[in-house]
């Protein structure tokens, strides 16, 4: 998917060289003739166009009309751009209306889904770094997607793009919109924690990323509540003082030294289908 701004020739070149979809804001591509040239190429090749509107570049007249950047202005801008392309005889479109203001973005999606049946690409733009970006994206996407609004998503983070994919998958799984993959649940630290729980939980998350199972794995910090808390998980580990327990369906399987817990858990997962 090629995201093109300002130069209509780049949009055309992207489609000619294999882009499956392009994203443009017709308002900054240039004259209607240049927009039409892009649309004609998309039409010839059957390539979808994503019409993208961002609160940071909302048209001046809409800012004045609504006394600032608003959800109503975002929607009006997007639908105006869509009509421009429709009038050129093309309707293979996706709409994206993004803002860094979470609640404005949510409201804009609630409004636009009442006025159009076009697919919506959902995201909180410029959400921030890993921590702040994930929190803002989770709240915004959660509120939007849980209403049945949205067809594709993007988690925008200032960081490794792979983290965006991980976060998107987790958001979808948490909302029940995606199945598959191992879900890791872990408890917070407390006074009973006698093991490197934080390090262990992170190691488990990384370790299970390449295992194609639809399971819940629990990482518990102590052996007092660990077995009970892990009952809802398919398998788990609970830490002790230099040692820990391997637990399957709430039942203790074996006790192991702390440095062998991770390997034992991986071994169980790799042979899961043989043991169930």
């Amino acid at each position: 998917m090629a995201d093109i701004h300002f130069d209509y020739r780049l949009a055309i070149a992207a489609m000619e060289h294999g882009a499956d979809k392009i994203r443009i804001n017709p308002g900054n591509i240039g004259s209607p003739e240049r927009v039409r040239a892009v649309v004609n190429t998309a039409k010839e090749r059957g390539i979808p166009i994503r019409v993208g509107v961002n609160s940071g570049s909302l048209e001046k007249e809409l800012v004045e009309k609504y006394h600032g950047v608003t959800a109503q202005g975002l929607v009006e801008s997007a639908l105006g751009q869509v009509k421009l392309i429709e009038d050129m005889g093309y309707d293979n479109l996706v709409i994206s209306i993004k803002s860094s203001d979470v609640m404005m973005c949510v409201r804009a999606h609630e409004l636009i889904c009442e006025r159009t049946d076009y697919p919506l690409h959902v995201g909180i733009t410029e959400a921030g770094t890993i921590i702040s970006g994930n929190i803002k994206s989770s709240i915004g996407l959660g509120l939007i997607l849980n209403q049945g609004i949205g067809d594709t998503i993007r988690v925008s983070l200032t960081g490794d793009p792979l983290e965006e994919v991980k976060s998107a998958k987790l958001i979808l799984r948490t909302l029940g919109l995606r199945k598959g993959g191992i879900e890791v649940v872990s408890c917070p630290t407390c006074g009973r924690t006698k093991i490197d729980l934080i390090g262990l939980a992170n190691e488990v998350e990384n370790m299970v990323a390449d295992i194609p199972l639809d399971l819940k794995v629990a990482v518990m910090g102590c052996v007092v509540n660990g077995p009970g808390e892990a009952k809802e998980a398919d398998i788990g580990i609970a830490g002790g003082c230099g040692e820990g327990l391997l637990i399957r369906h709430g039942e203790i399987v074996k006790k192991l030294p702390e440095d062998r817990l991770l390997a034992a858990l991986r071994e169980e997962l790799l042979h899961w289908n043989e043991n169930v």
Side-chain angles (χ1 to χ4, degrees), residues 101-114:
D101 183 315
V102 173
M103 299 313 296
M104 180 194 299
C105 201
V106 171
R107 182 57 183 152
H109 283 85
E110 292 171 343
L111 291 173
I112 201 168
C113 73
E114 298 173 352

Side-chain angles (χ1 to χ4, degrees), residues 6-22:
F6 305 117
D7 195 330
Y8 78 105
R9 294 167 298 182
L10 293 178
I12 293 172
M15 290 185 280
E16 291 176 342
H17 288 81
D20 297 304
K21 181 196 289 186
I22 61 167

Side-chain angles (χ1 to χ4, degrees), residues 53 58-59 62-63 66 68-78 111:
V53 173
L58 193 61
E59 295 96 316
L62 290 176
V63 175
Y66 291 104
V69 178
T70 64
Q72 292 84 352
L74 284 173
V75 171
E76 186 169 327
S77 175
L111 291 173

